Amino acid sequence: MKASELKEGEAGIIKNIESACIQKDKMIDFGIVNGARIMILKKLAFGDPILIKIRETLVALRKKDLSCVNVEGVDE
Amino acid sequence: MSKFDKKNCCCDKSDEKSVNSELRIAIAGNPNSGKTSFFNTVAKRSNRVGNWPGVTVEKIEGSVKFKGRNLRFIDLPGTYSLSPDTEEQKIAEDFIKNGEYDLIFSIVDASNLARNLLLTLQMIEKGKNVVVFLNMIDIAKKNGQIIDVQRLSDALGVEVFPLVAVNKKSAFSALEAALLSTEKKKVREAGIDIKGIRSVEDAYKIIDSLCNSVVKKSKRESMTDKIDRVVLNKFAAIPIFLLSMYAVFWFAINVGSVFIDFFDIVFGAIFVDWFGALLLRIGSPEWLKVILADGIGAGIQTVATFIPVVYFMFLMMSILEDSGYMSRAAFLADKVMKRIGLPGTSFVPLIVGFGCTVPAIMGTRVLSSRSDKLKTIFMAPFMSCGARLPVYALFCAAFFGKFSGLVVFSIYLVGVFAAILTGLLLKKTLFKGKGSDFFIELPQYHFPRAKNIFKFSGIRLKFFLKKATSVVVIAVAILGVMNSIGVSDGKVSFGNEDSQGSLLTVMGKGIAPVMKPAGIEEENWPAAVALFTGLFAKEAIVGTINSLYGQLDSEDGAATNVAMANDIAEMETPIEVADIGFPIEAIGEGFVSIWENFVGIFTSADLLGAGMVAEGQDVVAEELETGTAVFYHLQRNFTGVQAYAYLLFVLLYFPCLAVVGATRKEAGWFLTVLMIFYTTTLAWVVSVLFYQIAEGHNFLYMGIALILAAVIYGVFKVSALVIGRQEVAKQHIIEETK
């Protein structure tokens, strides 16, 4: 499933990042890479923008960018 | 080939330099890792502020004598990695690979070890002599993270020292330990295979397993999580957001304004009056005095009056940035900003624009995408700045009585609306198809440290002064000279400031017909001249209108009341040539003004400076240092609708020269000229349409305005091609260097 479909407070393990993703380089620098755990901390109204936690880093980004990250193993 | 040469050349130089005792230390780290704090704590002087070659990224150096050695620190831009995706990262990568330095201090945020180690690994791989500092080790401990420093050092093969950068004792003992360790020069093997890393994904795999072995974590809710639960709370988030923006605004404008008169009086007394008198005394010709004192001296005075508001704005921004709230504000604002094709991050510079457009334009540096930055620069001048308020206040007192507050509010709204329109227009033309980027880190909260904030705002102020002065001084000098030179009967004379004879007035009269469609009649040429002096700073409009109307009177013999006569007498007091004592009195007067203004903040309960607007004519006249006679003239020369059209023009037209200077620096000449054209044309179109629809009813003028609106659109379309070509050329350069 897409990381942007996770609900507030849910987390998942990153399976892959689509290569068409515009922010891919930046995401990788921030450690949004395969195998990392990503957690949704906050979604503003209508689910955009989104605040995520990756390791110890808090990142704010847009729904369209997060939707090209695929995750599996949803947990709370 | 050329790159190779350059590299060799650099190595030679660094060998030569290492003979003398200066040790050059590059400080590198992620944004928010505390590297600037470290820099500020250990380096005594920030004696070199400038740009990295070819880009607008600030380059900061500082030096200190420590334990008998001269240390020179070079603060590299904060970056997340060395992949050359952004200007900052390119600079950092190039410097690490080819720059002249002896040591790299890699400042790492201990509470966020994994992400910070990426850059460290890349620097160990590409650079030389890396020393790692685990900064904010205290916060990490509080968050329940214990780091095995020795193990980390063995794994990386470099020295690692714990650090609390804001603490002087900690910073210097870490510095000492680091310098000692580098003297030993022992070669160490890294425990992990750093050279074998092929990609960032690889690096993260290694980092993750490394962190698992060196960091012991106990689950604890950090301070940041706790604060965010309140600050980003569904219900509290927006009120807190609005309140903090209001606080910034209030503080910068009101407290900053307390000092404006001081700078105006003192700098005016020294650089214009005293300097001018001195020049005449030592026998310099009138024209030289005009150029030096009334031109350049007045230019320095103009720049100086910007110091307080700009500085306090920088100060408040630094507090918001340093505390970590700024990025939360950007996150919340993104929702709205996205609609006009901008990221949440550009919200902050735009808010700053209500105070002063200059720091707003400089503030666009935080934006990572160039098109976002340029869009924001174009929008910023429409956020009505503090200098325009006195003009509104004067006209409102003359025309709108108790509706003044509402009228001023409507002007601010028109400005915001014009900014939004500009955003949409640019999205459709100049930057078509370029979506906005929004991708930022929310740093940990920490209590802002006074020393950091003052030092940082000080550095920014210095930078602002350096570049504002050059452009402003030249331009103001030219205008000042034009204001003084008079041409009559084929003779050139000086000393015609704000009078009918000056060249500026002649030009103003020439330009008056252009303003006719906006309701400025030709007899009302002082209003047109004032638009010229408004180029110095918009509040200058008030002074010009006041003195020109006054003069009209004395010539017409229509000076009917005492107030008016007083005005004229005051205005025509000549500079006493004999008096060339240093203007101690004026400086004293300056200090008195600070106290008076300071008291004024609390007695007037004037929350946005907007209270000035609603007060009676006497009060406004006193605050603006005009006589009440000016209201009589305004009412004689303008109708209410014409006055409002004039205010619309003042709101929208040519931003002041300081803004032009800042824009040129950030966006280049082409876009600066485009901005000047755009703002002034839009101002004409809007004020003409307003006046003609409301009162003039001249369809020809309305038609011309509409045609001009179409011209604006066309110019943007054409400019898009030019910009496109420039960007393509730049892209080529980037790819070649890759």
Side-chain angles (χ1 to χ4, degrees):
Chain A
M1 78 188 287
K2 289 175 177 173
S4 57
E5 290 163 4
L6 293 169
K7 294 194 183 75
E8 254 178 45
E10 286 182 347
I13 304 296
I14 298 169
K15 215 164 60 181
N16 69 331
I17 303 173
E18 285 160 24
S19 52
C21 189
I22 300 166
Q23 302 276 14
K24 190 169 181 182
D25 288 343
K26 238 181 201 170
M27 286 185 176
I28 291 174
D29 282 350
F30 271 75
I32 303 178
V33 293
N34 297 352
R37 181 170 181 273
I38 192 170
M39 183 174 168
I40 307 292
L41 288 187
K42 189 96 207 155
K43 282 183 171 183
L44 291 192
F46 307 106
D48 196 18
I50 301 172
L51 178 61
I52 62 163
K53 188 167 194 172
I54 179 98
R55 295 188 190 81
E56 301 299 324
T57 309
L58 306 180
V59 179
L61 75 179
R62 293 215 174 125
K63 188 177 173 181
K64 72 168 171 30
D65 295 319
L66 197 56
S67 64
C68 63
V69 176
N70 293 310
V71 293
E72 60 185 357
V74 180
D75 63 59
E76 297 272 316
Chain B
M1 181 63 195
S2 65
K3 204 178 168 188
F4 194 67
D5 287 344
K6 191 177 149 206
K7 203 171 178 178
N8 279 341
C9 156
C10 284
C11 291
D12 290 346
K13 257 195 220 157
S14 66
D15 286 343
E16 259 169 51
K17 272 215 174 158
S18 56
V19 178
N20 58 40
S21 64
E22 194 178 66
L23 196 67
R24 285 152 307 172
I25 301 170
I27 302 180
N30 285 185
N32 303 309
S33 63
K35 64 185 196 58
T36 304
S37 300
F38 180 71
F39 178 89
N40 285 344
T41 310
V42 296
K44 283 243 166 54
R45 288 171 293 147
S46 319
N47 53 356
R48 272 198 219 166
V49 184
N51 279 357
W52 291 91
V55 288
T56 50
V57 179
E58 281 170 52
K59 180 179 188 178
I60 300 173
E61 292 186 21
S63 58
V64 68
K65 219 175 148 77
F66 181 66
K67 302 267 168 194
R69 306 185 70 163
N70 292 318
L71 308 180
R72 170 163 292 282
F73 292 99
I74 302 121
D75 195 13
L76 293 182
T79 60
Y80 292 107
S81 80
L82 291 183
S83 7
D85 302 328
T86 64
E87 272 183 354
E88 283 84 359
Q89 294 183 9
K90 254 178 279 165
I91 291 165
E93 191 209 11
D94 190 54
F95 191 86
I96 298 288
K97 274 187 176 167
N98 310 319
E100 291 173 21
Y101 63 88
D102 302 301
L103 282 174
I104 303 174
F105 282 3
S106 172
I107 311 293
V108 161
D109 175 0
S111 65
N112 193 347
L113 193 61
R115 201 206 60 220
N116 279 256
L117 278 182
L118 174 67
L119 180 67
T120 305
L121 280 188
Q122 290 176 331
M123 287 194 295
I124 293 174
E125 188 202 337
K126 292 180 177 172
K128 54 178 185 186
N129 305 336
V130 178
V131 179
V132 175
F133 292 92
L134 291 179
N135 189 26
M136 299 190 251
I137 198 89
D138 51 337
I139 293 177
K141 216 171 272 173
K142 250 184 232 158
N143 293 351
Q145 297 156 303
I146 308 289
I147 298 170
D148 187 336
V149 176
Q150 190 54 48
R151 210 176 207 179
L152 181 63
S153 167
D154 290 341
L156 296 174
V158 299
E159 297 297 325
V160 178
F161 302 99
L163 170 72
V164 181
V166 286
N167 182 320
K168 215 170 178 170
K169 219 169 123 192
S170 162
F172 277 106
S173 70
L175 177 63
E176 191 180 352
L179 293 178
L180 267 178
S181 76
T182 55
E183 275 165 13
K184 287 184 204 144
K185 289 235 171 189
K186 62 176 181 190
V187 180
R188 295 176 58 178
E189 282 292 313
I192 51 177
D193 179 18
I194 293 174
K195 299 281 172 202
I197 296 170
R198 290 279 162 267
S199 65
V200 179
E201 282 100 331
D202 267 5
Y204 268 112
K205 274 195 195 100
I206 292 174
I207 289 168
D208 279 338
S209 71
L210 178 63
C211 284
N212 278 337
S213 69
V214 300
V215 185
K216 250 198 280 175
K217 246 194 288 191
S218 57
K219 274 248 168 203
R220 219 187 283 177
E221 194 181 31
S222 68
M223 188 52 101
T224 296
D225 292 339
K226 279 182 203 157
I227 298 175
D228 270 341
R229 263 198 311 179
V230 179
V231 166
L232 297 180
N233 176 283
K234 207 179 267 175
F235 304 104
I238 300 300
I240 291 177
F241 172 79
L242 294 176
L243 208 67
S244 56
M245 289 303 136
Y246 181 76
V248 167
F249 195 33
W250 183 88
F251 193 85
I253 304 288
N254 275 24
V255 181
S257 312
V258 167
F259 300 93
I260 290 180
D261 289 347
F262 172 80
F263 281 92
D264 196 32
I265 294 170
V266 171
F267 276 74
I270 296 176
F271 288 95
V272 184
D273 299 342
W274 179 73
F275 184 52
L278 187 74
L279 283 174
L280 290 182
R281 172 52 83 83
I282 60 171
S284 72
E286 176 80 15
W287 60 265
L288 189 68
K289 179 232 159 199
V290 166
I291 292 172
L292 292 180
D294 302 341
I296 294 172
I300 292 171
Q301 182 192 9
T302 303
V303 173
T305 56
F306 276 98
I307 292 174
V309 171
V310 170
Y311 181 73
F312 278 101
M313 200 56 105
F314 283 156
L315 199 68
M316 292 308 282
M317 290 296 129
S318 301
I319 291 174
L320 280 192
E321 266 168 19
D322 203 46
S323 66
Y325 184 69
M326 193 74 103
S327 4
R328 270 85 186 170
F331 173 60
L332 294 170
D334 186 64
K335 185 103 231 144
V336 181
M337 297 306 289
K338 196 184 154 191
R339 305 255 162 106
I340 40 178
L342 280 174
T345 351
S346 63
F347 176 80
V348 178
L350 288 177
I351 282 291
V352 173
F354 281 123
C356 176
T357 316
V358 175
I361 283 173
M362 291 175 65
T364 58
R365 289 188 177 176
V366 297
L367 302 173
S368 56
S369 131
R370 189 165 159 81
S371 62
D372 288 346
K373 177 179 157 163
L374 296 176
K375 258 186 259 178
T376 314
I377 288 178
F378 265 78
M379 290 166 68
F382 296 125
M383 315 307 282
S384 185
C385 70
R388 284 169 244 191
L389 195 57
V391 188
Y392 308 154
L394 183 75
F395 277 80
C396 283
F399 294 99
F400 304 117
K402 62 179 177 181
F403 297 109
S404 293
L406 211 60
V407 169
V408 170
F409 185 65
S410 77
I411 292 170
Y412 272 79
L413 275 187
V414 171
V416 172
F417 188 72
I420 293 172
L421 194 86
T422 305
L424 292 173
L425 180 68
L426 291 176
K427 194 175 151 191
K428 286 263 180 318
T429 56
L430 224 46
F431 304 110
K432 199 175 178 180
K434 286 185 183 146
S436 59
D437 283 355
F438 182 67
F439 191 98
I440 56 165
E441 181 192 0
L442 305 197
Q444 303 243 346
Y445 287 105
H446 47 85
F447 201 80
R449 302 281 171 141
K451 198 182 167 190
N452 264 347
I453 291 166
F454 284 119
K455 202 154 185 176
F456 202 54
S457 0
I459 288 173
R460 286 184 169 176
L461 180 72
K462 214 162 129 188
F463 198 66
F464 158 74
L465 288 177
K466 215 169 142 186
K467 68 188 193 194
T469 5
S470 52
V471 174
V472 175
V473 165
I474 294 168
V476 169
I478 294 171
L479 277 179
V481 170
M482 278 169 56
N483 199 8
S484 177
I485 293 180
V487 185
S488 56
D489 309 330
K491 272 191 226 156
V492 178
S493 62
F494 291 95
N496 300 297
E497 284 80 5
D498 290 336
S499 76
Q500 293 234 34
S502 87
L503 191 59
L504 199 64
T505 307
V506 174
M507 282 185 61
K509 281 181 180 170
I511 212 84
V514 180
M515 295 304 295
K516 192 173 188 291
I520 313 276
E521 300 299 333
E522 277 177 54
E523 311 88 76
N524 193 14
W525 57 267
V529 175
L531 292 176
F532 265 111
T533 49
L535 305 186
F536 296 81
K538 300 247 168 139
E539 71 266 30
I541 291 172
V542 172
T544 306
I545 282 188
N546 185 37
S547 59
L548 285 180
Y549 281 150
Q551 281 185 5
L552 277 183
D553 258 336
S554 61
E555 282 161 17
D556 298 350
T560 46
N561 66 44
V562 183
M564 214 180 295
N566 280 345
D567 271 3
I568 295 158
E570 204 174 295
M571 200 185 57
E572 288 183 346
T573 307
I575 302 166
E576 287 168 30
V577 180
D579 175 25
I580 59 158
F582 198 72
I584 305 285
E585 218 172 278
I587 293 170
E589 205 182 304
F591 279 108
V592 171
S593 79
I594 294 180
W595 174 247
E596 280 175 355
N597 291 335
F598 183 72
V599 173
I601 297 183
F602 299 102
T603 49
S604 70
D606 174 4
L607 286 185
L608 276 184
M612 184 198 331
V613 169
E615 289 160 8
Q617 291 191 351
D618 299 349
V619 183
V620 174
E622 198 201 314
E623 284 206 21
L624 299 178
E625 291 170 23
T626 66
T628 42
V630 72
F631 298 118
Y632 158 76
H633 288 295
L634 284 173
Q635 283 160 355
R636 207 178 57 175
N637 281 298
F638 286 96
T639 66
V641 174
Q642 284 170 337
Y644 194 80
Y646 187 73
L647 292 185
L648 286 177
F649 194 86
V650 170
L651 165 74
L652 300 170
Y653 89 118
F654 194 115
C656 74
L657 290 167
V659 174
V660 171
T663 309
R664 187 201 67 81
K665 189 82 186 175
E666 300 296 326
W669 272 121
F670 179 76
L671 287 169
T672 307
V673 172
L674 187 64
M675 185 214 257
I676 293 170
F677 158 80
Y678 172 62
T679 49
T680 310
T681 315
L682 184 71
W684 197 86
V685 169
V686 170
S687 53
V688 167
L689 279 180
F690 173 79
Y691 174 67
Q692 293 302 340
I693 289 169
E695 210 170 73
H697 308 306
N698 182 323
F699 288 105
L700 176 67
Y701 290 144
M702 285 186 222
I704 294 175
L706 289 176
I707 289 169
L708 272 179
V711 168
I712 291 178
Y713 185 79
V715 167
F716 272 118
K717 273 288 192 195
V718 174
S719 303
L721 296 177
V722 178
I723 297 279
R725 214 171 281 159
Q726 281 180 356
E727 297 292 310
V728 168
K730 254 188 211 153
Q731 203 58 42
H732 275 302
I733 296 167
I734 291 169
E735 272 158 23
E736 271 171 31
T737 50
K738 267 188 187 173

